[in-house]
Amino acid sequence: MSLFDKNELKLTGRYLLKNKLSLAGGIVAGAYLVLVVLVWATGDLLVPYDPYVQNYAEALRPPSGAHLFGTDDLGRDIFSRVIAGAPFDAQIAFAVVLASLALGGSVGAFAGYLGGKVEEAMMRLTDIFLSFPALVLAMAVAIAIGPGLTNSMMALLVVWWPWYARIARGEALSIKSSQYIEAAHAAGLSDLQVVARHVLPNILMPLLVYATLDISNVVLTGSILSFIGLGAQPPQPEWGRMVFDGQDYLASAWWMSVVPAMAIFIVVLAFSLFGDGLRDAFDPRLRRR
Amino acid sequence: MGLLKFCVKRLAMLVPVLIGVTFLTFLISRVVVPNPARAWAGLKASQATVEAIATRYRLNDPLHIQYFYYIRDLLSGDWGTSPVTGQPVIENLSAFFPATLELSIVAIVIAAALGIPLGVYAAVKQDQPADHAVRLFSLGTYCLPPFLMALVMQLVVFYWLRLLPSGGRLSPFIQAPPRITGLLVLDSILTGNVQSLVSALTHIFLPATALALLTFGLISRLTRSSMLEILRQDYVRTARAKGLSERVVVFKHALRNGLVSIVTVLALLFAWMLSGAIVIEYIFNWPGIGRYAVQSILALDLPAVMGATLVFTLIVVSVNLIADIAYAALDPRIRLD
Amino acid sequence: MDLTVGENEVVGLVGESGCGKTVLGLSILGLNPMPPAQLLEGSRILFKGRNIADLAQNELTLIRGTGVSMIFQEPMTSLNPVFTVADQIGESIKLRLRREGGKEFGPSSPATKEEVLDALRLVRIPDPERVANRHPHELSGGMKQRVMIAMALAAKPSLLVADEPTTALDVTIQSQILRLMRTLMREVKTSILFITHDLGVIAEIADRVAVMYAGKIVEEAKVHDLFREPLHPYTRGLLASLPSISELDKEIEQLPGSVPDALNPPSGCSFHPRCRYVMSQCSTTVPRLIEVKPARRVACHLYPE
């Protein structure tokens, strides 16, 4: 199934529309992305209060008209901080997924296409990476290279690439014996060219579907990394970190932790629902007219 | 081939995986870290201590020599000394291990007890409202960030309703039973100590349920799709044609075939659950390896974190091994290799 | 649709693929998934005089196994892979004992084991002790089908519906199984409704035969009579298209056209587009199945009432 087959896209779109939950998820996910772009582009213009300025007089206020989600222990408006912090998780998720797709996808496609020892070696290598629980490996790498936003992205990339390698390999295997691949080979193209020009474009679709589903997983794991202090550092209003900071005040000011945690949950759920619907839409067995 | 031969073969496959895993942790702790000697000695250590560490662990030798000694140290029980606690890492780990084990076991039992029947129910009622409800609930709990679940539970059940304790394994006023297995619930039962049994149960309930809720969604989803596949099979039709009741058909003939994939799922789940356990243990102050890992990270204690990483991974690898063997035991077709 | 199977007889139901014979077989036991399938108003399935067409699933369950049983075409996939042969046959035995109100032995008691071995001996399986402990995937196709027959007969049903049981097997195994079923019929006194597309199989095993076309029965007769003197044009066409060893030079006649779409059959007699004796009324009126001679019924306008 080629990437831009108009009929395929139309069928998929129609199926997607019928599945209301997925649609809802897609809308919320889309809204989140729009928000992210706006915040990233306009900076602090969107928020009612400055996310960084401390104001002890207003500390630990419950949600009210003035402060929609209350204030934290340093008097900062949580609503503003949640909005300002939206881009962080999106940044991590998209960067990690795209990089894993590129890196893992290429390695996997190559290995699947070449077969033999190369494929065997790649499988053993991914086996080892996949033996580690995702969070655990990410933690280990993150603490080794130090905390920080970019570093957490790299740690997550180390953990994430093997999944894409595996999928790409599987897909490459199934199209390896297709006629156009054989034709390209017969025409004298080198292995690298065959993979780059013929294999990769054709396995892109299933990889993308998986990637969309995966975004929610990365956001989840990334937020946990931030929660334990390995992601963006304070005073940056990253959501996971905000949850951590609010723990000590759970009894007196629960909104400090619960609000950013809910924000993470909503984003993860939205992307999950949408990705689920997308995957079902591409599954030939489930498609109905 | 028989089950025994399969086990032996499978164990043999374990060795290269272990080598790979230890090599990766070795790389992370010696190569990826910018200044391994200082990281292992501790940030506040003196220059002399740093150099002593460098010599002791041969940090200036070529990599392959370092790796040899790394493995030797691992096998002999020297997993480094935590610059924060001052104790050998392995002692900390073995002290905290039973707590994590207990928590995981209880959580997985709850998750399976909840997830499998729900999955079967959803499969039998395919595409009806009940099915959709179960699927949504499963997806929803899977997406829940562990800290949200844990914090809300603590908030509601402890702070607001004052129903269950909020942390620790045992009430501080109750004496712990003598340590037989390290699993408090089991030890309490074995020594007939009702007071500590009750206390242990009330303390484990909240964190185990939180952990179970995080993971049961996966079980229920996969049980459902596996059952859907199986209920379409010819042998299910034969079972009905034989005159067996629908209940027997679903729970004996169909589910028994589904158990194979469910067991695989439980193994996969374990890895996911351990990741969740890290956060849950920390929030509920459960003295397990997860909490130890978080505290070590917050304290930038590299040897401790690497130790915890290795333990977690070894647990996952072992569980996968057990799952593979169970898989072969349940499905006689697998043994023909 | 009007078909009767009497006690102690083998009735063959023959027709091409897609004519609905499997659907008929499954409907008797209520095994057709009911949302797509539907029973027409007023239709009756009489089992020992009782109409079972309207029964709910849990009531139908009581008929299955000990009243009416069924064996299927694909022995490969029709046996549960995770249970042994002994387990699966044992289930049928215990079911029968429970319904007869007899003593139900434990799962591995010697009495049940002995009955399982008897069932396997009945279908002439060599070395029954060894086979009993095997799992289905360890057996050959022919063995699996024998096990299926043993399992179905262990419940001592009054009627056995056999849906193309030999189609998936080699020709040599096929004749073995047919011979076995003929012998069993005499020993066990179970009637068989044998569904197949192969006239040769019918000749070997059936007492009476009904020919089915596009979802309707078009002719019914004793086997010998049908082969000697086929009445319906479709039956004639089928028989003429069989290659014959005694007439090696004879050209094989082919029925023109192809099987009609079951959801959109031709008007009147469904066979009329392919019939060489077609008359004007054939395209307007559906011929009824009428008895033209004792024990012979045809649905064709060539044989008016």
Side-chain angles (χ1 to χ4, degrees):
Chain A
M1 179 171 68
S2 72
L3 187 56
F4 297 114
D5 183 351
K6 258 210 279 246
N7 273 334
E8 288 292 343
L9 287 178
K10 256 209 315 220
L11 255 176
T12 309
R14 214 186 308 158
Y15 185 83
L16 220 48
L17 282 169
K18 282 206 210 143
N19 190 343
K20 297 191 207 91
L21 272 177
S22 288
L23 195 59
I27 294 178
V28 174
Y32 168 71
L33 290 175
V34 167
L35 178 68
V36 165
V37 170
L38 283 176
V39 171
W40 181 69
T42 64
D44 295 337
L45 293 178
L46 280 178
V47 294
Y49 298 86
D50 187 316
Y52 296 92
V53 163
Q54 300 175 6
N55 185 353
Y56 289 101
E58 293 286 310
L60 299 178
R61 292 244 180 271
S64 63
H67 296 279
L68 212 58
F69 290 147
T71 59
D72 66 4
D73 57 329
L74 296 178
R76 300 175 289 197
D77 176 41
I78 291 184
F79 179 67
S80 310
R81 298 202 86 216
V82 166
I83 305 265
F88 291 111
D89 289 315
Q91 213 176 331
I92 298 178
F94 278 89
V96 170
V97 168
L98 286 172
S100 306
L101 190 57
L103 180 63
S106 323
V107 170
F110 234 120
Y113 174 74
L114 287 174
K117 292 266 175 73
V118 175
E119 184 188 0
E120 187 69 31
M122 185 214 94
M123 289 299 280
R124 297 300 130 234
L125 186 64
T126 50
D127 264 348
I128 293 172
F129 274 87
L130 293 172
S131 301
F132 289 83
L135 182 63
V136 169
L137 184 58
M139 265 172 23
V141 175
I143 197 173
I145 61 181
L149 192 63
T150 349
N151 282 0
S152 67
M153 284 194 250
M154 293 207 280
L156 286 169
L157 174 61
V158 169
V159 174
W160 242 259
W161 76 270
W163 299 98
Y164 290 89
R166 282 263 170 117
I167 297 180
R169 172 225 174 218
E171 296 288 330
L173 272 182
S174 59
I175 66 169
K176 191 157 81 160
S177 40
S178 310
Q179 286 197 325
Y180 54 87
I181 301 284
E182 301 211 355
H185 210 210
L189 289 177
S190 75
D191 284 333
L192 181 61
Q193 287 173 307
V194 175
V195 172
R197 273 197 246 168
H198 294 277
V199 177
L200 283 177
N202 283 291
I203 64 173
L204 200 53
M205 201 51 127
L207 280 175
L208 278 179
V209 174
Y210 182 78
T212 320
L213 255 173
D214 215 15
I215 293 198
S216 52
N217 289 331
V218 182
V219 172
L220 202 51
T221 311
S223 69
I224 299 180
L225 268 187
S226 306
F227 176 81
I228 52 185
L230 292 168
Q233 295 300 296
Q236 288 185 310
E238 204 272 334
W239 294 350
R241 182 73 207 191
M242 284 169 71
V243 177
F244 180 81
D245 291 335
Q247 274 184 102
D248 293 331
Y249 303 93
L250 187 63
S252 49
W254 55 267
W255 46 91
M256 256 190 91
S257 289
V258 175
V259 168
M262 280 298 288
I264 298 175
F265 176 49
I266 290 173
V267 171
V268 172
L269 189 60
F271 274 99
S272 257
L273 283 173
F274 180 64
D276 234 21
L278 201 67
R279 188 196 53 199
D280 282 350
F282 277 101
D283 185 346
R285 284 184 303 174
L286 292 176
R287 245 190 287 209
R288 284 165 234 133
R289 299 211 152 266
Chain B
M1 71 166 88
L3 194 54
L4 198 59
K5 237 186 8 174
F6 179 83
C7 289
V8 171
K9 265 189 93 174
R10 184 63 186 77
L11 275 167
M13 279 164 46
L14 196 58
V15 176
V17 172
L18 286 177
I19 293 180
V21 165
T22 48
F23 190 66
L24 196 53
T25 49
F26 164 74
L27 279 180
I28 295 176
S29 47
R30 302 283 177 89
V31 176
V32 175
V33 176
N35 190 344
R38 169 141 305 271
W40 281 71
L43 296 169
K44 301 194 196 114
S46 65
Q47 189 60 25
T49 322
V50 173
E51 278 166 22
I53 295 275
T55 330
R56 162 126 178 256
Y57 293 110
R58 300 166 198 270
L59 295 176
N60 296 312
D61 285 3
L63 275 183
H64 52 278
I65 298 187
Q66 278 196 50
Y67 181 60
F68 172 74
Y69 283 104
Y70 178 77
I71 295 284
R72 195 199 61 170
D73 287 341
L74 279 183
L75 290 172
S76 64
D78 179 5
W79 287 32
T81 308
S82 158
V84 172
T85 65
Q87 292 173 318
V89 168
I90 196 149
E91 271 182 33
N92 292 138
L93 289 172
S94 40
F96 293 127
F97 178 70
T100 301
L101 189 64
E102 192 177 26
L103 185 65
S104 312
I105 292 177
V106 176
I108 259 206
V109 167
I110 298 179
L114 206 57
I116 295 178
L118 268 179
V120 172
Y121 181 63
V124 167
K125 299 259 182 231
Q126 190 189 5
D127 283 339
Q128 294 168 37
D131 179 23
H132 289 303
V134 170
R135 289 174 76 186
L136 187 58
F137 186 50
S138 302
L139 186 64
T141 50
Y142 176 78
C143 291
L144 268 174
F147 37 73
L148 179 61
M149 169 91 74
L151 289 173
V152 167
M153 275 183 143
Q154 259 197 337
L155 191 63
V156 171
V157 179
F158 176 67
Y159 287 111
W160 289 352
L161 296 177
R162 301 253 161 219
L163 265 178
L164 289 169
S166 83
R169 292 178 83 187
L170 213 54
S171 164
F173 306 113
I174 295 187
Q175 211 193 19
R179 184 185 166 122
I180 309 177
T181 59
L183 305 180
L184 285 182
V185 174
L186 199 55
D187 286 346
S188 306
I189 296 178
L190 289 175
T191 56
N193 189 338
V194 177
Q195 258 195 331
S196 78
L197 178 64
V198 170
S199 183
L201 282 175
T202 49
H203 278 82
I204 204 174
F205 181 74
L206 221 47
T209 308
L211 203 49
L213 279 175
L214 283 176
T215 41
F216 104 98
L218 253 180
I219 298 185
S220 122
R221 271 164 70 121
L222 282 154
T223 304
R224 175 188 178 272
S225 47
S226 156
M227 284 298 282
L228 281 179
E229 187 72 42
I230 289 170
L231 286 171
R232 280 198 282 252
Q233 296 296 313
D234 282 346
Y235 54 80
V236 170
R237 186 178 59 173
T238 306
R240 287 201 183 106
K242 274 163 81 166
L244 298 170
S245 74
E246 192 67 14
R247 215 176 40 116
V248 170
V249 171
V250 170
F251 284 102
K252 183 176 169 194
H253 282 259
L255 190 56
R256 183 67 177 63
N257 274 274
L259 274 181
V260 172
S261 43
I262 292 175
V263 164
T264 327
V265 171
L266 285 180
L268 257 172
L269 252 189
F270 214 78
W272 173 250
M273 183 178 268
L274 283 182
S275 301
I278 293 174
V279 174
I280 300 277
E281 282 188 14
Y282 179 70
I283 294 183
F284 283 100
N285 206 26
W286 186 263
I289 303 185
R291 188 189 70 165
Y292 178 62
V294 178
Q295 286 172 334
S296 309
I297 291 178
L298 292 172
L300 294 175
D301 183 347
L302 190 71
V305 175
M306 294 314 298
T309 304
L310 208 49
V311 168
F312 275 121
T313 312
L314 288 175
I315 294 177
V316 171
V317 170
S318 321
V319 170
N320 283 336
L321 178 72
I322 297 176
D324 277 349
I325 293 179
Y327 196 172
L330 284 173
D331 189 342
R333 291 174 291 183
I334 305 291
R335 296 178 221 164
L336 289 174
D337 231 26
Chain C
M1 210 13 137
D2 193 0
L3 183 61
T4 313
V5 181
E7 271 190 53
N8 271 352
E9 66 168 346
V10 179
V11 175
L13 183 62
V14 67
E16 292 165 279
S17 326
C19 72
K21 48 194 201 301
T22 302
V23 174
L24 175 68
L26 288 173
S27 306
I28 298 177
L29 281 158
L31 286 175
N32 271 317
M34 273 313 183
Q38 244 188 326
L39 271 181
L40 290 174
E41 257 322 301
S43 46
R44 297 181 305 162
I45 305 177
L46 294 171
F47 178 64
K48 292 191 176 164
R50 178 182 166 208
N51 186 7
I52 63 174
D54 298 326
L55 289 184
Q57 281 291 320
N58 54 347
E59 294 173 306
L60 264 178
T61 308
L62 294 170
I63 311 271
R64 295 180 194 143
T66 51
V68 185
S69 195
M70 191 161 178
I71 59 179
F72 302 96
Q73 183 173 355
E74 290 289 343
M76 306 298 155
T77 52
S78 295
L79 289 170
N80 197 323
V82 299
F83 296 123
T84 60
V85 166
D87 284 333
Q88 301 191 52
I89 297 184
E91 267 188 318
S92 294
I93 295 174
K94 282 192 290 188
L95 188 76
R96 170 172 56 89
L97 288 175
R98 210 183 309 141
R99 289 190 186 162
E100 284 171 1
K103 206 162 94 104
E104 186 181 330
F105 305 110
S108 14
S109 76
T112 319
K113 273 209 183 118
E114 200 47 41
E115 295 221 28
V116 169
L117 293 175
D118 280 339
L120 288 173
R121 286 186 203 112
L122 184 71
V123 292
R124 316 294 196 267
I125 286 185
D127 202 357
E129 283 93 0
R130 205 182 50 94
V131 172
N133 290 321
R134 291 254 172 283
H135 293 273
H137 63 273
E138 298 173 273
L139 306 173
S140 70
M143 289 277 259
K144 280 203 265 258
Q145 199 57 293
R146 285 177 199 259
V147 167
M148 281 225 53
I149 296 173
M151 198 168 71
L153 291 179
K156 300 215 171 69
S158 310
L159 172 66
L160 177 66
V161 178
D163 186 5
E164 309 238 33
T166 53
T167 308
L169 304 172
D170 295 337
V171 190
T172 36
I173 311 287
Q174 200 167 334
S175 61
Q176 279 178 19
I177 300 284
L178 285 175
R179 236 176 302 139
L180 172 69
M181 289 181 81
R182 244 195 353 256
T183 320
L184 284 178
M185 229 287 297
R186 271 177 265 129
E187 288 181 16
V188 173
K189 303 200 185 342
T190 296
S191 302
I192 302 181
L193 175 63
F194 202 105
I195 301 175
T196 179
H197 65 273
D198 189 340
L199 277 169
V201 167
I202 291 285
E204 263 202 71
I205 193 169
D207 299 322
R208 279 195 299 127
V209 58
V211 180
M212 207 170 154
Y213 185 79
K216 293 197 177 56
I217 296 194
V218 296
E219 184 167 359
E220 199 188 317
K222 291 212 184 92
V223 159
H224 198 66
D225 293 337
L226 188 92
F227 276 83
R228 205 171 36 97
E229 193 200 345
L231 295 180
H232 194 281
Y234 176 59
T235 320
R236 289 196 190 153
L238 274 184
L239 286 168
S241 62
L242 283 179
S244 161
I245 283 212
S246 51
E247 297 170 67
L248 287 170
D249 285 332
K250 187 180 109 174
E251 235 185 76
I252 298 180
E253 291 182 39
Q254 244 198 18
L255 280 168
S258 54
V259 178
D261 181 5
L263 297 171
N264 235 336
S267 58
C269 169
S270 307
F271 187 62
H272 84 258
R274 303 167 77 183
C275 184
R276 63 160 74 165
Y277 308 98
V278 60
M279 306 180 285
S280 56
Q281 48 181 238
C282 297
S283 54
T284 50
T285 344
V286 178
R288 287 193 334 161
L289 191 63
I290 46 178
E291 189 160 346
V292 295
K293 286 188 224 176
R296 287 217 73 173
R297 298 201 286 172
V298 189
C300 180
H301 292 299
L302 285 173
Y303 309 93
E305 306 187 36

